[in-house]
Amino acid sequence: MKTTEIENLKNEFDEVKDFLIALGDEKRQIIIVALLNDHACNGCQGLRVIDLTEATKLSRPAVSHHLKILKQIGIVDIRREGTKNYYYLCNAVPEMKKLRDLLDNVMSVMAEGKEEV
């Protein structure tokens, strides 16, 4: 295996680090699944914090904190209607593509290592 391949993998991991951390939290996963369900069933109307407190069993401030993190990495966006805020999944394709590329490259390096043995 080439040193440049490993350096490239380190850089790729660094690029998706925040995305992985955000996705790694169980409560944020529950929020994402709830928003995916809303997207599939209601055509992406969006969910309010109160809806997500029921799904996660977290307080409103805790849900808001998790939504802020998901918004920062580009998975969630907000739509405002008067005083009501609706959260929905937005297009995080660039980050997801980086993650997919990273996994493909890891698999490639692993396969390369098996061929050498």
Side-chain angles (χ1 to χ4, degrees), residues 14-101:
D14 194 48
E15 286 182 22
V16 297
K17 176 178 58 180
D18 293 337
F19 192 73
L20 288 171
I21 290 169
L23 293 180
D25 184 89
E26 183 180 352
K27 296 301 183 182
R28 288 192 282 273
Q29 292 168 8
I30 293 169
I31 289 171
I32 291 168
V33 168
L35 293 172
L36 281 168
N37 187 52
D38 173 67
H39 183 81
C41 297
N42 300 320
C44 198
Q45 295 291 322
L47 296 175
R48 296 180 60 206
V49 170
I50 192 72
D51 301 321
L52 294 167
T53 60
E54 294 171 16
T56 60
K57 309 297 185 225
L58 292 173
S59 67
R60 290 176 64 99
V63 168
S64 293
H65 169 74
H66 288 295
L67 286 168
K68 179 181 175 186
I69 291 168
L70 293 171
K71 193 170 183 305
Q72 287 173 337
I73 63 164
I75 292 179
V76 169
D77 208 349
I78 187 171
R79 177 176 53 82
R80 291 178 171 84
E81 284 185 17
T83 60
K84 296 178 182 177
N85 295 327
Y86 294 89
Y87 293 88
Y88 62 93
L89 293 174
C90 62
N91 197 349
V93 172
E95 291 301 314
M96 290 181 195
K97 184 180 178 327
K98 286 179 189 177
L99 181 57
R100 185 183 64 216
D101 291 346

